[in-house]
């Protein structure tokens, strides 16, 4: 399983050391930019799933292209 944690900067070193000392946990820090990208991708997937379930209306591609 993979998890993304949002840790206060003041506690980050403690948590990273704690997790690093667990033999069954592999710690790989990521940059803030990559964390933002992952968050945006997660949000996009949730939106697509809501569209598939019919809970929200999709926008036509032409409308999206006109914004660009």
């Amino acid at each position: 399983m993979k998890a993304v944690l949002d840790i206060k900067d003041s506690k980050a070193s403690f948590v990273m050391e704690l997790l690093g000392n667990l033999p069954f946990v592999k710690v790989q820090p990521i940059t803030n930019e990559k964390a933002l990208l992952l968050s945006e991708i997660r949000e996009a997937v949730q939106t697509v799933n809501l569209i598939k379930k019919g809970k929200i209306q999709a926008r036509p591609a032409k409308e999206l292209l006109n914004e660009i």
Side-chain angles (χ1 to χ4, degrees):
M1 178 180 92
K2 296 185 184 285
V4 176
L5 305 173
D6 188 9
I7 305 167
K8 288 182 179 182
D9 288 338
S10 62
K11 301 293 183 181
S13 61
F14 168 75
V15 173
M16 294 301 285
E17 183 178 347
L18 177 67
L19 292 174
N21 286 325
L22 299 173
F24 52 89
V25 175
K26 181 179 175 185
V27 178
Q28 183 178 2
I30 60 174
T31 64
N32 288 337
E33 292 81 15
K34 191 169 185 177
L36 178 61
L37 176 63
L38 289 172
S39 176
E40 290 173 349
I41 290 171
R42 186 178 302 112
E43 183 180 330
V45 169
Q46 289 172 348
T47 301
V48 169
N49 288 335
L50 289 174
I51 291 170
K52 285 182 177 181
K53 291 179 183 177
K55 295 187 177 186
I56 61 173
Q57 187 72 25
R59 293 185 350 187
K62 217 172 211 182
E63 182 182 314
L64 179 65
L65 290 174
N66 286 338
E67 287 185 16
I68 300 175

